[in-house]
Each structure stands twice: as structure tokens, then as C-alpha cells.
């Protein structure tokens, strides 16, 4: 069976996902696209796909069995609620939503529907290196994890569009999610320190240094730098009681020539996580074809939203801001897959 999907938002990542769903992964066909920029939607539409005038027209169309949301974060809530109301599985790019209240509304709607429909685009959980790191930690041979050092460097961000809040409410959500998943823990509090600013970043608050206090007592430090110029550099190292486990540098190929011995650095997230995004969709298609969702859930999107909110408060207060989660609804209790 081929899953017939509609894509909302045909910007940078929307176009990249359309490419992979058309040319890379199987079991799926894009039957519709939409964007507030209709010309962009028309240009991105694969042959035979309908260009819908609005997200609600796409979601309610009888030919769309499942929905992919790649619009801007503030638009996600309305589109998620419409997909859930239609009973259609939905892949939603991060961030799930942009406020705690919105996350609670989406969780309530999904719980009322009675089964998981939403997978959030935390693609690091599908990356082979992060999966090996988790397997080592879960295996227990290194003892309990104590410290996780997470480095998240972007070569650049869109000038004028990427604001000083975004390292904390757009970029940090990946580190927050992967910390919860790798350490099987929850974030209990957040501190933020702002060091000397990069002269490359103008008025943008860059870099930021974030400390996540996990419920177990483990600490996660996160460097977020968004204008490092040299490439997209993602690192992670976990110090445990009896050893250390770390991500390798990617791509792994080592080049030796008259300039020395070196490895390349990915240009951006599309290159570094290309295989993770492919795998994320392979697993989404299997679950969505059965009318449900696995992997990162609405609950995980909610948790990351709370961390972002606390980080924004912490940068203003200079102190430790608590993260208070509601009790986990039953719907999200059972892990469904490796990435759950
Ligand atoms: P973008 O600005 O390039 O594209 C967003 C598109 O959505 C635009 O074409 C815009 O016109 C459209 N849009 C906005 N609001 C809409 C609405 N209400 N209805 C229909 N279309 C609408 O942005 P992007 O970089 O592609 O990011 C899109 C989403 O993907 C964001 O939530 C972003 O955080 C996320 N993202 C995730 C990753 C990742 O690594 N997982 C990487 C990049 C972006
Ligand atoms: C972007 O939206 C992403 O999600 C990327 O993975 C992240 O590295 C980048 O900082 C975000 O702006």
C-alpha cells in the first residue's frame, strides 16, 4: 500500500522532505502541497500533486491520508488540531508549538481522539550515531550518566529572520529532546549564561551557554553558536561513572594531502542529518500507514516547549528556572519503537 500524503509549508525543509519522499524513501506518494506562498507551493509540487489553497483544504481532502507540517512554528497548532480532528496521522516539524498552553491543547485533542497521531520532527533520535550512543548508555556498562556535553553550532542563520530568542526556543529544542532521550530523564530546571558576543552576529545574542538540570541530578551543558562560519558542527559526549561515550565526527572519511590530515564539515543540518531524516520518514510511513504514530510524541514536543520557555525566563532572570510538567498522560506511557 502507498501512503498518500499532503505537505503544508514548502520552504527550506518542506522542499528537502518533498525531495526525499519523492526520490529516496518508498511506500509514500505526495498527492498535495500548500503554502501561504502559492507560487512556492506550485514550484515545489511533485508531478501530479494538487496545489491546495489552504492547509484546511489539504487536511480535509479525501485523497490525503496523512499530513506533513513544515510551516513556521506559530502555525503548527492550528494545523495539528485540524489533522487530529480529521483523524489523520501527522508528522510535524519541530517545534511542536510555541507555547505551553498550545502544547496542552494538542495533547488534549490527541488524548480525546484516543490514539497517537502525531510524530514530532526530532530527527536526531533516528541518527545512527545517536542511536549507538543511546545503546551504550542503556547497556549500563559505563555506569550511570553524570554529565552530557552537547555542542550545537550552525554556520549561519537567516539574517533578520532568526532572532535572539531563537537559539533558546528554536535551536535548543533539539538538545533538550536528545538529552531527555539519551539519558532517559526529564529536564527539571534551566540556567542560561551569555558570554562575550560573537562580532560576527551583530545584535544577535550569540553564543549562549545553557545548563539543563536533569531530574536525576545529571547535568547537560549546551553550547549554541549560530554564526560559526566554518560549518554545521554537532558534538556530544556523555561522561558516566566508569567511562565516556561520544559521537564521532561526520562525515567520517579522512582526507590526507599536502595540507594535512582532515575531515570535512557538513554545511548545514540537511547534510549532517540526511540519513536521520530519511530514517525518520521510513518509520513515520510504517506507523502512519497503520493510522497511528511512533517516535517523538506530542509529550516530547511539550517537554521541549517547556525547556524553551524556562530558558527564555532564565536568560532574563539570570537564575535557575524550574520546568514543571503535568503528570504524563497514559497515551504517552508505552514506548512504541526504538525512537520512542
Ligand atoms: P522556511 O521559512 O524556509 O519555510 C516555511 C514555509 O512555511 C514558508 O514557505 C512559508 O510561506 C510557509 N508557511 C508559513 N506559515 C504557513 C501557514 N500558516 N500555512 C501554510 N504555509 C505556511 O522555514 P524552514 O526552515 O523550512 O522551517 C520550517 C519548519 O521546519 C520550522 O518549524 C522549523 O523550525 C523546522 N525545521 C526543522 C529542522 C530540523 O532539523 N528538524 C530544520 C529546519 C527547519
Ligand atoms: C533549524 O530550524 C533546525 O532545526 C536545525 O536542526 C538547527 O540546527 C537550527 O539551529 C534551527 O534553526
Amino acid at each position: 500500500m502507498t501512503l498518500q500524503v499532503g505537505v503544508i509549508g514548502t520552504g527550506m525543509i518542506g522542499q528537502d522532505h518533498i525531495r526525499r519522499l519523492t526520490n529516496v524513501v518508498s511506500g509514500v506518494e505526495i498527492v498535495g502541497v500548500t503554502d501561504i506562498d502559492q507560487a512556492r507551493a506550485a514550484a515545489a509540487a511533485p508531478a501530479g500533486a494538487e496545489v491546495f489553497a489552504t492547509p484546511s483544504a489539504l487536511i480535509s481532502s479525501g485523497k490525503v491520508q496523512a499530513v506533513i507540517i513544515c510551516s513556521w512554528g506559530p502555525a503548527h497548532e492550528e494545523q495539528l488540531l485540524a489533522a487530529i480532528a480529521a483523524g489523520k496521522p501527522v508528522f510535524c516539524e519541530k517545534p511542536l508549538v510555541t507555547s505551553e498552553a498550545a502544547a496542552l491543547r494538542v495533547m488534549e485533542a490527541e488524548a480525546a481522539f484516543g490514539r497517537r497521531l502525531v510524530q514530532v520532527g526530532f530527527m536526531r533520535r533516528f541518527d545512527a550515531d545517536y542511536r549507538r550512543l543511546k545503546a551504550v548508555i542503556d547497556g549500563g556498562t559505563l555506569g550511570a550518566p553524570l554529565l552530557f556535553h552537547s555542542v550545537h553550532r550552525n554556520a549561519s542563520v537567516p539574517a533578520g529572520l532568526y532572532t535572539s530568542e531563537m537559539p533558546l526556543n528554536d535551536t535548543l529544542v533539539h538538545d533538550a529532546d536528545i538529552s531527555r532521550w539519551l539519558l532517559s530523564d526529564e529536564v527539571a530546571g534551566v540556567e542560561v549564561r551569555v558570554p562575550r558576543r560573537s562580532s560576527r552576529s551583530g545584535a544577535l545574542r550569540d553564543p549562549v551557554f545553557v545548563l539543563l538540570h536533569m531530574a536525576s541530578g545529571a547535568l547537560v551543558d549546551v553550547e549554541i553558536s549560530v554564526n560559526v562560519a566554518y560549518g554545521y558542527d554537532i558534538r556530544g559526549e556523555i561522561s558516566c561513572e566508569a567511562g565516556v561515550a561520544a559521537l564521532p565526527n561526520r562525515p567520517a572519511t579522512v582526507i590526507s594531502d599536502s595540507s594535512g590530515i582532515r575531515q570535512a564539515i557538513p554545511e548545514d543540518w540537511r547534510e549532517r542529518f540526511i540519513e536521520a531524516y530519511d530514517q525518520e520518514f521510513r518509520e513515520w510511513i510504517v506507523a502512519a500507514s497503520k493510522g497511528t504514530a511512533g517516535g517523538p510524541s506530542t509529550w516530547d514536543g511539550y517537554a521541549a516547549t517547556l525547556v524553551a520557555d524556562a530558558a527564555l525566563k532564565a536568560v532574563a532572570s539570570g537564575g535557575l528556572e524550574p520546568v514543571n510538567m503535568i503528570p504524563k498522560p497514559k497515551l504517552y506511557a508505552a514506548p512504541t519503537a526504538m525512537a520512542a
Side-chain angles (χ1 to χ4, degrees), residues 8-15 17 34-38 40-41 53-55 69-76 78-79 91-96 121-124 152 158 161 166 169-171 173-174 232 269-270 273 277 280:
I8 302 173
T10 54
M12 254 193 305
I13 204 160
Q15 289 171 30
H17 289 339
T34 189
D35 195 294
I36 42 174
D37 181 338
Q38 286 277 291
R40 185 179 291 166
T54 61
I69 300 177
C70 299
S71 55
W72 296 318
H76 292 179
E78 191 184 342
Q79 296 162 4
F91 174 91
C92 181
E93 262 308 338
K94 49 62 60 177
L96 174 75
F122 289 130
M123 74 297 184
R124 291 185 182 189
H152 192 158
L161 293 174
M166 290 175 75
N169 68 9
D170 181 77
T171 298
V173 294
H174 285 297
Y232 187 71
W269 35 270
R270 278 173 290 215
F273 288 112
Y277 296 119
E280 161 183 73

Side-chain angles (χ1 to χ4, degrees), residues 254-262:
V254 179
I255 302 159
S256 305
D257 64 10
S258 56
S259 304
I261 300 175
R262 63 185 187 283

